[in-house]
Amino acid sequence: MAQDQRTRTGNRVDTQVVVVGAGPVGLMLAAELRLGGADVVVLEQLPAPTSESRASTLHARTMELFDSRGLLDALGPVPGEVRGHFGGIPLDLTLPGSHPGQWKVPQDRTEALLGAWAGGLGADVRRGHEVTALTVTEDHVDVEAVGPAGPLTVRALCVVGCDGEHSTVRRLAGLDFPGTDATRELIRADVAGIEVPDRRFERLDAGLAIAARRADGVTRIMVHEFGRAAVRRTAPPDFAELVTIWKRVTGEDVSGGTPLWINAFGDVSRQAARYRDGRVLLAGDAAHAQMPIGGQALNLGLQDAANLGWKLAVQVARKGSEGLLDSYHTERHAVGERVLSGIRAQALLLLSGPEVNPLRAVLGELLRSGDTRRHLAATISGLDIRYDVGPGDHPLLGRRLPPSALKTADGWPTSTAELLRGGRGLLLDLSGDDGRTAELAAVAAPWRDRVHSVAATVIDGGPLSDLDAVLVRPDGYVVWAGSDATSPEAALRRWLGLPHDEHPISGGLS
Ligand SMILES: Cc1cc2nc3c(=O)[nH]c(=O)nc-3n(C[C@H](O)[C@H](O)[C@H](O)COP(=O)(O)OP(=O)(O)OC[C@H]3O[C@@H](n4cnc5c(N)ncnc54)[C@H](O)[C@@H]3O)c2cc1C
């Protein structure tokens, strides 16, 4: 663990990175920064984690990421389901990989997991601190918050706004957030004491109704009335409004139930024009606001954090190559744009009236054909991501390292996920040739603080067989796929930064 560089001067704390928001994205980012050796303070306005029922789905790529950080044991058993949907049309999410499908984990459980992980790694999470002002200078940022003990200033090399859809950091930094506000909405509630049939995206004549009864007898219901515009709200809808709309759409009376929790969400679609502006960065809902459908909002944000953490850690250590930090915007903005477009398409299919039924019927047929199904399943699961990582035409370049069982050169069973657990890059030598192994180890030696070099063989074939070697970033994406004649040195420099014996770059945040 890097030495803690925080110092206290009156009501000022100095650190390397200040993260605003201890939601799932801020906590994941804080942990990733700590893994990379960066010092981090997280400021969160809420005095305690919220137990509000929000996202409940982790998709395949997020589960793989959690596995590659050793988090799944702590998460415990989670129910999995390969049956997903696209705009309410059933979609089989089965794809090759270690965690195909969707996994049902309430968001408060995910946040508890990430909070414990970040805290255990030494992230300084300060609850009850509301950020109110931001000053960006040539060589640092000052983030001002009001906390239980009064005003506090956190000085850092940069600030990351993980403070949700209505991000204060985004507003204070004046970052553009183009897109459209919600035009339609769903009202959702957990209700005790009602008896209604379970409904999975049921489109009735007057609207869309969803109902799922849980084992504890509470039923989650969601409803949209076709043609009804989104309401500009400053508070959650009241139960009477839900009762009226549910009755108009389904004909059922739920007025005798007890609402435990109720909210409304709409088909807003906005994305920050830049995820990075100098020393100010955005991640998660602060960078993109979307209709929370199919769990994609949360998964998109968690993967922003996994992409940004190690890059920022290298950069604040003044080791990052030119353009490394900007690749966060390039890579994640493009992924976000695509996911948001898919969510808008789903919103049209779900919330439009009967006029959209022929389109749904055609799409339903297409989704039964293999290629279309796999295409959409890969998009929703996050398994289709391919970053532009530079020259080369190997099919694995820019893609996630496919999860594979391995045996190390000295005979120990391991896996690709296990080899990534330290949060370092991975130079995986599969050549089975002692000469090549020595050559690769020598090339990687100057990066040994940031790259784990392992010689192994693949068990049970799969996409890694026949490979000589691969270099994988800490977030699991392949940036070099070797053949006998090539060296990973250029890729090491570009993605993992300067070797440990070269002088750091001045300025720290190019
Ligand atoms: C009511 C609701 C229902 C949802 N349902 C679903 C769903 O069913 N499926 C799905 O995928 N997604 C859903 N989402 C979206 C999902 O919860 C988000 O995508 C996810 O929480 C994003 O995580 P985040 O960390 O980016 O932001 P958030 O979880 O919003 O966390 C932001 C944090 O920043 C803090 N903060 C804000 N301003 C400040 C400030 N000035 N100073 C300090 N701290 C600040 C907040 O208190 C909060 O803890 C829902 C969201 C909401 C609000």
Side-chain angles (χ1 to χ4, degrees):
M1 187 181 290
Q3 201 185 354
D4 189 343
Q5 295 170 12
R6 255 174 287 128
T7 55
R8 270 196 147 275
T9 319
N11 62 351
R12 198 182 95 192
V13 169
D14 288 8
T15 188
Q16 289 181 311
V17 181
V18 55
V19 171
V20 181
V25 176
L27 292 170
M28 173 114 184
L29 178 63
E32 290 284 323
L33 283 162
R34 289 300 304 139
L35 272 185
D39 212 15
V40 56
V41 171
V42 182
L43 297 173
E44 165 58 51
Q45 66 187 1
L46 297 177
T50 171
S51 58
E52 197 183 39
S53 170
R54 294 191 282 169
S56 59
T57 302
L58 298 179
H59 281 295
R61 182 64 194 133
T62 304
M63 289 295 279
E64 289 179 5
L65 277 170
F66 281 11
D67 193 11
S68 72
R69 295 297 182 256
L71 295 173
L72 293 184
D73 282 351
L75 196 56
V78 288
E81 160 87 277
V82 291
R83 194 177 54 147
H85 72 93
F86 186 84
I89 303 169
L91 172 66
D92 178 351
L93 294 171
T94 310
L95 288 170
S98 54
H99 298 86
Q102 47 183 346
W103 301 82
K104 290 296 171 191
V105 186
Q107 186 167 326
D108 57 351
R109 200 165 139 207
T110 303
E111 287 183 26
L113 172 82
L114 297 174
W117 182 42
L121 287 168
D124 179 355
V125 181
R126 293 173 183 232
R127 294 196 168 273
H129 285 81
E130 184 188 358
V131 169
T132 52
L134 168 67
T135 309
V136 183
T137 74
E138 224 166 67
D139 61 359
H140 67 264
V141 297
D142 278 339
V143 175
E144 279 161 51
V146 181
L152 175 77
T153 301
V154 183
R155 177 164 293 185
L157 290 171
C158 59
V159 56
V160 189
C162 298
D163 49 348
E165 183 176 343
H166 305 289
S167 169
T168 303
V169 172
R170 192 181 66 225
R171 176 175 55 78
L172 292 173
L175 299 178
D176 281 349
F177 198 46
T180 50
D181 288 328
T183 57
R184 296 180 275 200
E185 69 175 5
L186 278 144
I187 300 182
R188 158 169 72 172
D190 286 347
V191 188
I194 55 168
E195 293 283 344
V196 294
D198 271 7
R199 296 194 157 90
R200 196 175 152 81
F201 296 106
E202 205 168 299
R203 285 169 53 85
L204 302 160
D205 289 345
L208 169 76
I210 299 159
R213 192 179 170 85
R214 301 194 310 231
D216 62 3
V218 172
T219 305
R220 168 159 301 182
I221 58 177
M222 283 191 237
V223 66
H224 166 73
E225 187 177 19
F226 295 145
R228 188 169 187 268
V231 176
R232 277 194 169 274
R233 297 182 187 276
T234 50
D238 58 27
F239 189 50
E241 186 179 350
L242 172 66
V243 168
T244 306
I245 296 174
W246 187 263
K247 173 94 180 171
R248 285 209 294 255
V249 170
T250 68
E252 293 162 5
D253 180 5
V254 291
S255 61
T258 307
L260 305 179
W261 166 86
I262 181 162
N263 74 20
F265 61 90
D267 55 351
V268 58
S269 188
R270 289 187 175 275
Q271 189 179 22
R274 298 227 32 99
Y275 283 19
R276 177 192 177 202
D277 183 13
R279 296 179 181 279
V280 183
L281 298 106
L282 300 172
D285 279 9
H288 39 76
Q290 56 284 304
M291 182 157 117
I293 185 164
Q296 283 185 275
L298 172 64
N299 287 267
L300 190 59
L302 291 172
Q303 290 173 45
D304 290 344
N307 185 288
L308 177 58
W310 61 276
K311 292 177 182 172
L312 201 46
V314 175
Q315 202 78 19
V316 297
R318 302 195 292 135
K319 287 282 186 182
S321 59
E322 197 179 334
L324 177 67
L325 199 48
D326 283 331
S327 75
Y328 166 63
H329 166 80
T330 314
E331 294 181 349
R332 294 308 299 172
H333 188 277
V335 169
E337 198 169 12
R338 189 145 177 267
V339 170
L340 262 58
S341 164
I343 291 175
R344 283 197 302 276
Q346 295 194 62
L348 282 172
L349 288 166
L350 260 184
L351 305 182
S352 305
E355 71 278 8
V356 82
N357 287 349
L359 182 57
R360 294 178 61 87
V362 172
L363 199 58
E365 283 174 24
L366 287 175
L367 289 186
R368 286 194 283 278
S369 106
D371 281 353
T372 318
R373 180 197 73 73
R374 277 191 294 276
H375 176 84
L376 280 184
T379 308
I380 286 174
S381 305
L383 296 179
D384 67 338
I385 292 170
R386 184 167 198 180
Y387 296 131
D388 179 1
V389 293
D393 54 9
H394 194 283
L396 282 182
L397 270 183
R399 295 199 181 277
R400 88 204 205 279
L401 181 68
S404 307
L406 304 168
K407 195 168 67 173
T408 61
D410 44 8
W412 292 99
T414 185
S415 67
T416 46
E418 192 173 56
L419 293 177
L420 285 164
R421 288 204 179 140
R424 290 191 289 163
L426 171 66
L427 182 58
L428 184 59
D429 164 20
L430 300 165
S431 67
D433 169 344
D434 290 349
R436 179 69 168 151
T437 298
E439 187 188 325
L440 288 171
V443 174
W447 283 272
R448 60 180 161 267
D449 57 331
R450 272 158 281 156
V451 178
H452 188 192
S453 291
V454 180
T457 49
V458 180
I459 303 173
D460 297 338
L464 296 187
S465 23
D466 303 329
L467 257 179
D468 165 62
V470 278
L471 177 65
V472 186
R473 311 190 314 196
D475 58 350
Y477 289 86
V478 174
V479 287
W480 174 83
S483 65
D484 288 348
T486 59
S487 159
E489 185 171 349
L492 280 162
R493 235 172 223 285
R494 174 168 175 193
W495 293 105
L496 280 311
L498 298 181
H500 70 84
D501 53 356
E502 274 185 33
H503 283 306
I505 299 158
S506 62
L509 209 72
S510 56

